Amino acid sequence: MIDKKAIEEHIRGILVALGDDPDREGLIDTPKRVANMYEEVFAGMNYTNHELAEMLDKTFEEGLDDVEAGRVVVMKDIDLFSYCEHHMALMYDMKATVAYIPKCKVIGLSKIARICDMVGRRLQLQEKIGRDIADVLSEITGSEDVAVILEGCHSCVSARGIKKTNTKTLTVELRGEFKTDSSLQLYLR
């Protein structure tokens, strides 16, 4: 679990290290506010992928035994954010496209967005977000045919270092039929 008291102490120390006074009016509650924010934005760190799959396992099987082959479920433009593990910098304006080929069950659509949200709430790399979303979705649906495309901006690129403000990063995780059948990739555009 996230240790908010330790975060408060460390943020206070950072303020001192920056040469500011953590007891001045504008900063006095900052350590507590940062700890509360971290508890929220890093909530996904409290769960493994397997635990997320157990929490979000809401599927429907009725009437799916006669679904014809070739059925694809795609959700596009799912908003999410995360934080880069290298700089603790915000990965923002992220959009996910998540697709899978149902086997004998489908997942509730809101659960796909929730998977993206909870996986995003960790310190990590964008490539790992796509892999983790695919892992959780695969575990819940039983389908190995999964695709996750993420496009996002990174403040570690736009606000510091190279300072390229219009740069976007695209990552693609293709599994099963999405990897071998290029016609399925048309659904991901």
Side-chain angles (χ1 to χ4, degrees), residues 49 99-101 103 127-141 143-149 172-182 184-185 188:
N49 286 348
Y100 73 103
I101 299 172
K103 296 304 177 203
E127 297 86 346
K128 188 168 182 335
I129 298 169
R131 187 178 70 216
D132 286 352
I133 291 169
D135 286 349
V136 174
L137 185 64
S138 241
E139 183 174 339
I140 293 171
T141 64
S143 177
E144 295 298 322
D145 305 314
V146 176
V148 179
I149 299 175
V172 179
E173 178 79 18
L174 301 176
R175 297 182 179 181
E177 294 288 324
F178 286 101
K179 193 172 193 172
T180 59
D181 184 349
S182 61
L184 288 173
Q185 296 170 16
L188 307 176

Side-chain angles (χ1 to χ4, degrees), residues 7 11 15 48 53 57 62 69-70 91-93 118 139 156 161 168 172 175 182:
I7 292 170
I11 294 301
L15 292 171
T48 66
D57 187 359
E62 188 174 312
M91 291 186 260
Y92 60 99
D93 289 339
M118 287 303 288
E139 183 174 339
C156 54
K168 292 183 179 182
V172 179
R175 297 182 179 181
S182 61

Side-chain angles (χ1 to χ4, degrees), residues 24-39:
R24 73 175 172 86
E25 182 182 17
L27 292 179
I28 200 154
D29 289 328
T30 297
K32 181 178 270 189
R33 284 192 298 267
V34 172
N36 288 335
M37 177 190 73
Y38 279 6
E39 181 180 49

